[in-house]
Each structure stands twice: as structure tokens, then as C-alpha cells.
Amino acid sequence: LIDVDLSDADLRGANFFGACLCGADLSKANLQFANLEGVDLSDATLNCANLTGANLSLAYLYQSFLIKANICEANLSQACLQEAMLNDADIRDANLSEANLINADLSGADLSGADLSGANLSRTDFFRADLIGTKLIGANLSHAIFIEADLSRANLSESICIGTDLSYANIDNSKVYGISIWDIKKEDLKGNNLIITKDYQSVITVDNIEVAQFIYLILNSENLRNVIGTIAQKGVLILGRFTPERKSVLDAIREKLREYDLVPMMFDFEKVSSRDFTETIKVLAGMCRFVIADITSPKSSPLELQATIPDYKIPFLPIIQKGENPFSMFKDLTIYPWVLDLIEYDSEFDLLNGFKKGIIDRAFTEDARLIEEKNRNENPPKNIREFE
């Protein structure tokens, strides 16, 4: 069937699977505007075939070869292209909505303007593919490979990105409303002006795909209360010195907190460009349920504690390694009742061994006391007549 002309042909069959062309060699075939709805093309070879405008909806192309095929404007909605080879194929403006492309190879393919809404693209390879303006609404992109792919102006709304590799990719100006992001790889990812709002809403953009979900929750007043409440219940700020010998203790505290379903926050990253270090610490402290401060050989901790303790009525739990002395101004901070007694520990093992009773239980008890105190009306209004 090499170089065969099947343009405008109607190849739909009468049986359940439609016409069977499995294993057929249709290399360079002209299938322009052909009707291949429901056709079984599994293991078929369509390298360099012209499928422009063809109807392949519900077609079965499992493990087929479409290398350098022309599939422009073709209808492949709900088609099975699992493990298909589509390297360097021209798939511009094609309809691949709800198609199955699991483990397919589309490296180098041109999918600009194509519709892959609702498609299953799990583990699909889009290495260096052109997806400019592509619709990926509600698509499953879990563990898909987009290394060096161009997804600028793509619509990624409501898509699922679990373990997706976006290294060196470009998603500038893409729509990401409702996107689900977990454990993505994003080395040198270009992601500026990402639109996090719906089409009919005023456009709001962010420059980080991983914070898009969080920013949208903040913008949505219905969810803002829940966001603040959840973070305030689970967040724990860890302060200390980040030298190699001291950071191991802080890392151990971080892991231990996770065992108690808490979210540790540790300022061991570069400072935010729009905030100085103290402002950043204060923002994090205001989001937390309590603070653990290791004041062993401190550097910035004294300033951080002086900036936060007077302003935040939350439990502060200072700890120090045995043999060390607290900084000279520490005593002045203990006048605040939410600063708990200083806990001394011999070693990292010693600290973790007594962590529940010495840290967690004390923090929760003080937190409950402070909440009750905050909710209590200690200063009821006085009537002016009392002063007559």
C-alpha cells in the first residue's frame, strides 16, 4: 500500500472494530480527508503519510508508526495512540481531545494549535515538541516529558501534573487556572505571566507555576479563611543557624515535625527580593502555630526573636545544646508568657527522644491556652454612668 492514494476514502467497517488495517504499511500514503473512524491501525506504519483533515476519531493506533506524518487538522478525538511513534509529526490544529497517548513518542512533533483537552498523556514524550497555543485543558500530564518543549500560550487549565518533567521548557503566558501541581521537575523552566484566572475574569498573572494554586486560593475569598486556618494549625517555624553542623539538628527537627502531621517552615532559602530577612521571618511567624528556636551559637536568631516575640502571641519554644549559654538579651524576651522555658539537650538523639513531651505537648498546651485567652473578653466596655 506504499504511496497509495486513499484521499476522501470512507474506510469505516461494519464490524465492531471497524475496518482492520492493523500491521498495514501505509508509508507516504495519501489519506487526506479520509474517513478512518473506528479503524484498527494497530502496528500500522504511516510514516510520512498525509492525514490532513482525516477523521480518525475512535481509531485504534496502538504501537503504530506515524513518524513525520502530516496530521494537520485531522480528527483523532478519543483515538487510541498508546505507545505510538509520532516523532517529528506535523499535528498542527489537530483534534486529539480525549485521545489515549500513554507512552507515545511525540518528540520534535509540531502540535501548535492542537486540541488535546481531556487526553491521557501520561508518560508521553514531548521532548523539544512545539505546543504553542495548544489546548491541554483537563489533560493528564502525569510523568510526561516536556524537556525543552515550547508550551507558550498553551491552555493548561485543570490539567494534572504529577511528576511532570518541565525542565528547560517554556510555558510563558500560558493559562493555568485549576492546574494540579505535584513533584514536577522544573530546572530552568521559563514560566512568566501565567494566567491563574478564568477566561471571563480580570486577568491576574504569576511567575511561578507551583505557587499559582496558592495565589488563586488567596484571591478566592471563599477559600481564604480555610487557607489561613489550615496553615495556622499546621505551620511550625524553625529558627537557628544554618552552618553544616547546626543544620543537621534543624533538619532532624523538620523531619520529626512531619511525623506529627505538621508543616515545618525553615528559612534556609534566598531572601525574597521584595522583603528583607526580618520581614520574611515575620511573615512566616505570622502563619505558624508555634516557633522552635535553636539558640545554640546564634547568629541571626536574636534579631529574629526580638522582631517576632513581642508581635506574635504564639508559643515560642527555645532550645539550646548543653554546654552553650543563651545570648545576653534572651532574658529580656522571657517576660512574654508565650516564651516557654528554655530546653537543653545533649545531642540530636537526645532532642528527638524527648521531642513529643518536651516540644510537641508543651507547644499544644500553650497554644490552647493562648487561644482561650484570645477568645476571652477580658476588657468588657464600661458604662459612662459608672463615672458619675
Side-chain angles (χ1 to χ4, degrees):
L1 292 174
I2 297 177
D3 293 323
V4 68
D5 188 350
L6 293 167
S7 55
D8 296 305
D10 189 343
L11 300 175
R12 290 176 297 173
N15 61 25
F16 180 77
F17 291 102
C20 182
L21 290 168
C22 53
D25 189 347
L26 294 163
S27 301
K28 300 181 182 179
N30 184 2
L31 291 156
Q32 194 171 14
F33 302 109
N35 192 342
L36 293 151
E37 182 179 354
V39 170
D40 187 350
L41 285 158
S42 55
D43 296 309
T45 301
L46 293 106
N47 296 339
C48 302
N50 185 355
L51 290 147
T52 305
N55 181 8
L56 287 142
S57 64
L58 297 170
Y60 191 73
L61 294 104
Y62 177 71
Q63 291 187 333
S64 57
F65 294 85
L66 295 102
I67 298 170
K68 295 185 178 180
N70 185 342
I71 316 175
C72 286
E73 301 179 13
N75 181 6
L76 288 120
S77 60
Q78 301 182 58
C80 177
L81 288 148
Q82 189 170 342
E83 297 185 28
M85 302 292 290
L86 289 138
N87 314 60
D88 301 309
D90 188 344
I91 317 176
R92 289 173 296 164
D93 301 311
N95 181 2
L96 287 147
S97 58
E98 299 183 34
N100 180 354
L101 285 146
I102 297 173
N103 281 320
D105 188 345
L106 286 102
S107 55
D110 187 348
L111 290 133
S112 54
D115 186 354
L116 288 97
S117 300
N120 192 339
L121 306 173
S122 178
R123 303 186 187 281
T124 303
D125 189 351
F126 290 99
F127 175 67
R128 288 186 176 174
D130 186 343
L131 294 118
I132 297 174
T134 300
K135 289 182 181 178
L136 291 155
I137 304 168
N140 183 357
L141 309 178
S142 299
H143 305 288
I145 298 170
F146 289 97
I147 298 174
E148 296 185 33
D150 191 345
L151 292 115
S152 55
R153 301 195 305 279
N155 193 338
L156 293 154
S157 300
E158 300 179 26
S159 61
I160 301 170
C161 298
I162 302 173
T164 307
D165 194 341
L166 289 160
S167 303
Y168 307 101
N170 181 3
I171 58 171
D172 286 349
N173 303 297
S174 292
K175 296 180 179 180
V176 295
Y177 167 78
I179 195 170
S180 178
I181 298 289
W182 298 92
D183 297 325
I184 65 168
K185 299 176 184 176
K186 58 168 193 172
E187 184 177 357
D188 286 334
L189 170 65
K190 295 179 182 177
N192 296 316
N193 300 315
L194 303 176
I195 301 169
I196 65 172
T197 43
K198 297 178 182 178
D199 290 338
Y200 59 83
Q201 293 177 324
S202 299
V203 173
I204 297 175
T205 63
V206 297
D207 292 334
N208 188 314
I209 191 171
E210 290 182 308
V211 302
Q213 300 165 104
F214 179 70
I215 297 299
Y216 184 78
L217 286 173
I218 291 175
L219 291 170
N220 189 331
S221 58
E222 295 178 5
N223 295 321
L224 181 57
R225 181 175 180 270
N226 293 331
V227 172
I228 295 172
T230 299
I231 295 175
Q233 275 295 306
K234 292 184 176 289
V236 179
L237 178 60
I238 305 170
L239 300 178
R241 194 166 183 182
F242 298 112
T243 56
E245 64 275 12
R246 299 308 316 156
K247 193 172 184 298
S248 64
V249 174
L250 303 182
D251 286 336
I253 293 172
R254 175 159 54 184
E255 292 305 313
K256 196 67 176 177
L257 286 167
R258 288 173 177 154
E259 294 180 17
Y260 296 95
D261 195 27
L262 295 167
V263 179
M265 301 180 188
M266 198 158 69
F267 188 31
D268 56 350
F269 48 86
E270 292 183 13
K271 77 178 184 71
V272 182
S273 59
S274 60
R275 295 285 183 271
D276 61 29
F277 284 105
T278 303
E279 289 174 325
T280 303
I281 290 294
K282 293 185 74 170
V283 168
L284 294 175
M287 298 167 62
C288 288
R289 186 171 184 179
F290 60 93
V291 176
I292 300 174
D294 190 341
I295 59 172
T296 307
S297 303
K299 186 177 181 181
S300 59
S301 295
L303 178 60
E304 293 164 352
L305 291 174
Q306 287 171 344
T308 52
I309 288 175
D311 293 343
Y312 297 100
K313 205 172 184 179
I314 58 174
F316 282 78
L317 291 92
I319 60 174
I320 192 168
Q321 189 155 23
K322 190 174 182 178
E324 295 282 337
N325 294 315
F327 56 91
S328 58
M329 300 298 290
F330 175 72
K331 186 178 180 181
D332 295 345
L333 297 173
T334 61
I335 63 171
Y336 297 95
W338 47 89
V339 178
L340 304 188
D341 293 338
L342 181 62
I343 294 292
E344 189 178 65
Y345 62 93
D346 289 320
S347 63
E348 181 181 313
F349 174 81
D350 182 46
L351 175 62
L352 298 181
N353 195 42
F355 198 80
K356 183 180 185 305
K357 291 183 179 180
I359 303 295
I360 298 296
D361 290 352
R362 292 170 66 238
F364 285 1
T365 299
E366 178 62 12
D367 179 56
R369 185 191 72 78
L370 290 171
I371 290 173
E372 183 182 357
E373 185 177 296
K374 291 172 186 177
N375 292 332
R376 191 187 312 131
N377 188 358
E378 296 181 341
N379 296 301
K382 295 183 180 297
N383 192 294
I384 189 64
R385 292 177 181 175
E386 295 179 30
F387 301 95
E388 291 178 355

